[in-house]
Amino acid sequence: SAVISQKPSRDICQRGTSLTIQCQVDSQVTMMFWYRQQPGQSLTLIATANQGSEATYESGFVIDKFPISRPNLTFSTLTVSNMSPEDSSIYLCSVVGLQSNEQFFGPGTRLTVL
Amino acid sequence: GNSVTQMEGPVTLSEEAFLTINCTYTATGYPSLFWYVQYPGEGLQLLLKATKADDKGSNKGFEATYRKETTSFHLEKGSVQVSDSAVYFCALMYSSASKIIFGSGTRLSIRP
Protein backbone atom coordinates (compact mmCIF):
# COMPACT_ATOMS: atom_id res chain seq x y z
CA SER A 1 0.00 0.00 0.00
CA ALA A 2 1.04 3.59 -0.55
CA VAL A 3 1.96 5.84 2.36
CA ILE A 4 0.59 9.34 1.92
CA SER A 5 1.45 12.42 3.91
CA GLN A 6 -0.27 15.79 3.82
CA LYS A 7 0.93 19.17 5.03
CA PRO A 8 -0.30 20.97 6.96
CA SER A 9 -2.40 18.58 9.02
CA ARG A 10 -4.59 21.47 10.11
CA ASP A 11 -4.72 25.24 9.85
CA ILE A 12 -6.85 28.17 10.87
CA CYS A 13 -6.96 30.92 8.27
CA GLN A 14 -8.46 34.34 7.83
CA ARG A 15 -11.13 35.11 5.27
CA GLY A 16 -9.72 36.25 1.93
CA THR A 17 -6.38 34.49 2.26
CA SER A 18 -5.16 31.37 0.42
CA LEU A 19 -3.72 28.11 1.67
CA THR A 20 -1.69 25.54 -0.24
CA ILE A 21 -1.93 21.91 0.86
CA GLN A 22 0.77 19.44 -0.10
CA CYS A 23 0.37 15.73 -0.75
CA GLN A 24 3.42 13.46 -0.90
CA VAL A 25 3.37 9.73 -1.68
CA ASP A 26 6.19 7.32 -0.92
CA SER A 27 5.95 5.54 -4.29
CA GLN A 28 4.97 6.31 -7.84
CA VAL A 29 1.25 6.24 -8.46
CA THR A 30 -0.93 6.45 -11.51
CA MET A 31 -3.64 8.80 -10.40
CA MET A 32 -4.01 11.42 -7.69
CA PHE A 33 -7.23 13.03 -6.56
CA TRP A 34 -8.36 15.77 -4.21
CA TYR A 35 -11.53 15.42 -2.15
CA ARG A 36 -13.37 17.70 0.23
CA GLN A 37 -15.27 16.57 3.30
CA GLN A 38 -17.41 19.32 4.74
CA PRO A 39 -18.39 19.09 8.42
CA GLY A 40 -20.67 16.12 8.99
CA GLN A 41 -20.81 15.37 5.28
CA SER A 42 -19.52 12.74 2.91
CA LEU A 43 -16.54 13.11 0.61
CA THR A 44 -16.87 15.03 -2.65
CA LEU A 45 -14.35 14.79 -5.46
CA ILE A 46 -12.85 18.17 -6.35
CA ALA A 47 -10.54 17.20 -9.18
CA THR A 48 -8.14 14.70 -10.68
CA ALA A 49 -4.55 15.95 -10.53
CA ASN A 50 -2.86 15.25 -13.86
CA GLN A 51 0.89 15.06 -14.08
CA GLY A 52 2.32 17.89 -16.13
CA SER A 53 -1.02 19.26 -17.27
CA GLU A 54 -4.08 21.03 -15.98
CA ALA A 55 -6.25 19.20 -13.46
CA THR A 56 -9.65 17.84 -14.41
CA TYR A 57 -12.32 19.47 -12.26
CA GLU A 58 -15.68 18.07 -11.22
CA SER A 59 -18.88 19.98 -11.62
CA GLY A 60 -19.06 22.85 -9.15
CA PHE A 61 -15.29 23.26 -8.76
CA VAL A 62 -13.13 25.65 -10.79
CA ILE A 63 -9.43 26.19 -11.29
CA ASP A 64 -9.46 29.78 -10.09
CA LYS A 65 -10.76 28.72 -6.68
CA PHE A 66 -8.85 25.42 -6.37
CA PRO A 67 -5.65 25.54 -8.44
CA ILE A 68 -3.87 22.19 -8.45
CA SER A 69 -0.37 21.21 -9.45
CA ARG A 70 1.18 17.82 -10.01
CA PRO A 71 4.79 18.22 -11.16
CA ASN A 72 5.69 14.53 -10.85
CA LEU A 73 4.27 11.07 -10.03
CA THR A 74 4.55 11.39 -6.26
CA PHE A 75 3.59 14.98 -5.36
CA SER A 76 0.63 17.30 -5.75
CA THR A 77 -0.62 20.54 -4.25
CA LEU A 78 -4.11 21.97 -3.83
CA THR A 79 -4.59 25.67 -3.15
CA VAL A 80 -7.79 26.97 -1.61
CA SER A 81 -7.96 30.57 -2.83
CA ASN A 82 -9.70 33.62 -1.44
CA MET A 83 -11.09 31.58 1.41
CA SER A 84 -14.43 32.07 3.10
CA PRO A 85 -15.92 30.26 6.14
CA GLU A 86 -17.78 27.98 3.71
CA ASP A 87 -14.40 26.51 2.73
CA SER A 88 -13.93 25.09 6.23
CA SER A 89 -13.56 21.37 5.53
CA ILE A 90 -11.19 18.46 5.59
CA TYR A 91 -9.26 18.23 2.33
CA LEU A 92 -8.00 14.78 1.40
CA CYS A 93 -5.55 13.59 -1.17
CA SER A 94 -5.98 10.09 -2.60
CA VAL A 95 -3.90 7.96 -4.95
CA VAL A 96 -4.24 4.88 -7.07
CA GLY A 97 -1.18 2.63 -7.00
CA LEU A 98 0.68 1.34 -10.05
CA GLN A 99 -0.03 -2.29 -9.17
CA SER A 100 -3.74 -2.20 -8.42
CA ASN A 101 -6.86 -0.11 -8.75
CA GLU A 102 -7.15 0.29 -5.00
CA GLN A 103 -7.37 3.86 -3.83
CA PHE A 104 -5.56 5.06 -0.72
CA PHE A 105 -6.36 8.21 1.20
CA GLY A 106 -4.11 10.64 2.97
CA PRO A 107 -4.74 11.69 6.59
CA GLY A 108 -6.43 14.89 5.49
CA THR A 109 -5.91 18.58 6.17
CA ARG A 110 -8.45 20.15 8.51
CA LEU A 111 -9.04 23.74 7.45
CA THR A 112 -10.96 26.29 9.49
CA VAL A 113 -11.66 29.70 7.97
CA LEU A 114 -12.61 32.51 10.31
CA GLY B 1 -26.00 9.04 -13.17
CA ASN B 2 -24.03 6.95 -10.73
CA SER B 3 -24.90 7.24 -7.06
CA VAL B 4 -24.71 5.49 -3.72
CA THR B 5 -27.47 5.54 -1.12
CA GLN B 6 -26.82 4.29 2.36
CA MET B 7 -28.68 3.97 5.59
CA GLU B 8 -29.15 7.19 7.47
CA GLY B 9 -27.54 7.44 10.85
CA PRO B 10 -26.70 7.71 13.55
CA VAL B 11 -27.02 4.06 14.50
CA THR B 12 -26.59 3.13 18.16
CA LEU B 13 -26.21 -0.49 19.25
CA SER B 14 -25.19 -2.39 22.33
CA GLU B 15 -21.96 -4.36 22.35
CA GLU B 16 -22.30 -7.84 20.80
CA ALA B 17 -25.38 -6.83 18.80
CA PHE B 18 -25.78 -7.73 15.13
CA LEU B 19 -25.06 -4.90 12.71
CA THR B 20 -26.47 -4.20 9.26
CA ILE B 21 -25.85 -0.96 7.39
CA ASN B 22 -27.74 -0.89 4.12
CA CYS B 23 -26.19 0.35 0.91
CA THR B 24 -27.65 0.42 -2.59
CA TYR B 25 -26.19 1.85 -5.73
CA THR B 26 -27.19 3.12 -9.14
CA ALA B 27 -24.68 2.59 -11.89
CA THR B 28 -24.25 1.52 -15.46
CA GLY B 29 -21.98 -1.41 -16.01
CA TYR B 30 -20.14 -3.21 -13.25
CA PRO B 31 -18.42 -0.97 -10.73
CA SER B 32 -16.24 -2.09 -7.86
CA LEU B 33 -17.86 -1.60 -4.46
CA PHE B 34 -16.22 -0.57 -1.21
CA TRP B 35 -16.82 0.10 2.42
CA TYR B 36 -14.56 2.71 4.00
CA VAL B 37 -14.34 3.48 7.72
CA GLN B 38 -13.35 6.67 9.48
CA TYR B 39 -12.54 6.23 13.15
CA PRO B 40 -12.75 9.30 15.41
CA GLY B 41 -9.86 11.65 14.70
CA GLU B 42 -8.38 9.39 12.03
CA GLY B 43 -8.20 9.28 8.25
CA LEU B 44 -10.28 7.25 5.87
CA GLN B 45 -9.42 3.55 5.66
CA LEU B 46 -10.55 0.86 3.28
CA LEU B 47 -12.52 -1.73 5.25
CA LEU B 48 -13.44 -4.18 2.49
CA LYS B 49 -14.18 -4.37 -1.19
CA ALA B 50 -15.79 -6.50 -3.90
CA THR B 51 -15.04 -6.21 -7.58
CA LYS B 52 -17.71 -8.37 -9.24
CA ALA B 53 -21.16 -9.79 -8.70
CA ASP B 54 -21.51 -12.34 -5.87
CA ASP B 55 -18.07 -11.47 -4.48
CA LYS B 56 -17.97 -11.22 -0.71
CA GLY B 57 -15.59 -8.76 0.89
CA SER B 58 -14.59 -9.35 4.50
CA ASN B 59 -12.30 -7.82 7.10
CA LYS B 60 -12.23 -7.48 10.90
CA GLY B 61 -15.44 -9.53 11.19
CA PHE B 62 -17.30 -7.30 8.74
CA GLU B 63 -18.76 -8.72 5.55
CA ALA B 64 -20.55 -7.39 2.47
CA THR B 65 -21.74 -9.22 -0.64
CA TYR B 66 -21.98 -7.64 -4.09
CA ARG B 67 -25.60 -8.26 -5.14
CA LYS B 68 -26.13 -7.27 -8.73
CA GLU B 69 -29.78 -8.31 -8.82
CA THR B 70 -30.67 -5.96 -5.97
CA THR B 71 -27.82 -3.46 -6.63
CA SER B 72 -26.86 -3.69 -3.00
CA PHE B 73 -23.73 -4.03 -0.86
CA HIS B 74 -24.98 -4.18 2.72
CA LEU B 75 -22.41 -4.20 5.52
CA GLU B 76 -22.86 -6.78 8.29
CA LYS B 77 -21.12 -7.86 11.46
CA GLY B 78 -22.31 -10.56 13.78
CA SER B 79 -21.12 -9.07 17.06
CA VAL B 80 -20.04 -5.45 17.27
CA GLN B 81 -17.54 -4.02 19.73
CA VAL B 82 -17.13 -0.57 21.23
CA SER B 83 -14.04 -0.16 19.05
CA ASP B 84 -16.25 -0.40 15.94
CA SER B 85 -17.68 3.05 16.69
CA ALA B 86 -16.91 5.09 13.60
CA VAL B 87 -18.41 6.55 10.44
CA TYR B 88 -18.88 4.03 7.62
CA PHE B 89 -19.01 5.03 3.95
CA CYS B 90 -20.27 2.87 1.12
CA ALA B 91 -18.68 3.72 -2.23
CA LEU B 92 -18.38 2.66 -5.84
CA MET B 93 -15.63 3.04 -8.38
CA TYR B 94 -15.20 2.40 -12.07
CA SER B 95 -11.76 1.07 -12.77
CA SER B 96 -11.28 3.03 -15.96
CA ALA B 97 -11.84 6.37 -14.29
CA SER B 98 -10.80 5.46 -10.74
CA LYS B 99 -13.18 8.10 -9.44
CA ILE B 100 -14.91 7.08 -6.24
CA ILE B 101 -18.50 8.06 -5.50
CA PHE B 102 -19.28 7.99 -1.80
CA GLY B 103 -22.51 7.52 0.06
CA SER B 104 -23.48 10.00 2.74
CA GLY B 105 -21.91 8.00 5.56
CA THR B 106 -23.45 6.28 8.58
CA ARG B 107 -22.26 7.11 12.07
CA LEU B 108 -22.19 4.01 14.27
CA SER B 109 -21.97 4.20 18.06
CA ILE B 110 -21.61 1.08 20.20
CA ARG B 111 -22.59 1.16 23.88
CA PRO B 112 -20.60 -0.99 26.32
Side-chain angles (χ1 to χ4, degrees):
Chain A
S1 64
V3 177
I4 306 167
S5 59
Q6 286 186 230
K7 290 182 182 179
S9 59
R10 58 177 63 226
D11 207 342
I12 300 173
C13 301
Q14 295 297 319
R15 182 195 298 262
T17 62
S18 298
L19 175 72
T20 296
I21 302 167
Q22 298 179 2
C23 175
Q24 179 74 57
V25 192
D26 68 343
S27 57
Q28 291 187 347
V29 295
T30 55
M31 305 187 76
M32 298 182 78
F33 303 92
W34 286 98
Y35 288 83
R36 179 175 73 182
Q37 186 179 19
Q38 293 177 298
Q41 304 289 317
S42 186
L43 284 80
T44 302
L45 180 64
I46 297 172
T48 303
N50 299 309
Q51 189 208 349
S53 64
E54 191 171 291
T56 305
Y57 290 84
E58 298 299 304
S59 176
F61 297 96
V62 295
I63 188 171
D64 289 347
K65 176 66 177 177
F66 297 102
I68 289 170
S69 78
R70 187 180 173 191
N72 57 51
L73 289 176
T74 63
F75 184 79
S76 177
T77 66
L78 167 75
T79 299
V80 186
S81 303
N82 188 24
M83 288 183 285
S84 67
E86 292 70 36
D87 294 320
S88 298
S89 294
I90 298 173
Y91 292 86
L92 298 103
C93 166
S94 75
V95 304
V96 177
L98 283 176
Q99 303 301 324
S100 75
N101 68 350
E102 188 168 331
Q103 194 161 139
F104 301 96
F105 285 81
T109 296
R110 184 180 293 274
L111 170 62
T112 301
V113 184
L114 302 177
Chain B
N2 303 321
S3 65
V4 177
T5 302
Q6 66 180 99
M7 186 172 174
E8 296 250 344
V11 173
T12 303
L13 296 172
S14 297
E15 204 165 22
E16 299 183 3
F18 183 85
L19 168 72
T20 300
I21 300 179
N22 290 336
C23 172
T24 57
Y25 66 92
T26 302
T28 54
Y30 304 98
S32 296
L33 301 174
F34 304 86
W35 278 98
Y36 283 86
V37 59
Q38 191 172 38
Y39 297 103
E42 297 187 17
L44 201 64
Q45 301 174 27
L46 177 65
L47 179 61
L48 54 84
K49 67 178 181 180
T51 57
K52 61 182 187 296
D54 299 325
D55 266 3
K56 178 186 283 188
S58 61
N59 186 24
K60 300 182 180 179
F62 290 89
E63 293 183 340
T65 301
Y66 191 141
R67 300 283 188 204
K68 180 170 174 291
E69 63 277 13
T70 55
T71 61
S72 65
F73 194 55
H74 305 320
L75 182 68
E76 296 182 338
K77 186 173 184 180
S79 176
V80 293
Q81 306 300 313
V82 172
S83 57
D84 294 326
S85 298
V87 181
Y88 292 82
F89 294 94
C90 186
L92 69 81
M93 182 177 81
Y94 283 96
S95 297
S96 60
S98 293
K99 296 180 185 180
I100 292 186
I101 297 172
F102 285 89
S104 56
T106 302
R107 182 176 297 279
L108 174 67
S109 297
I110 307 299
R111 294 188 298 252

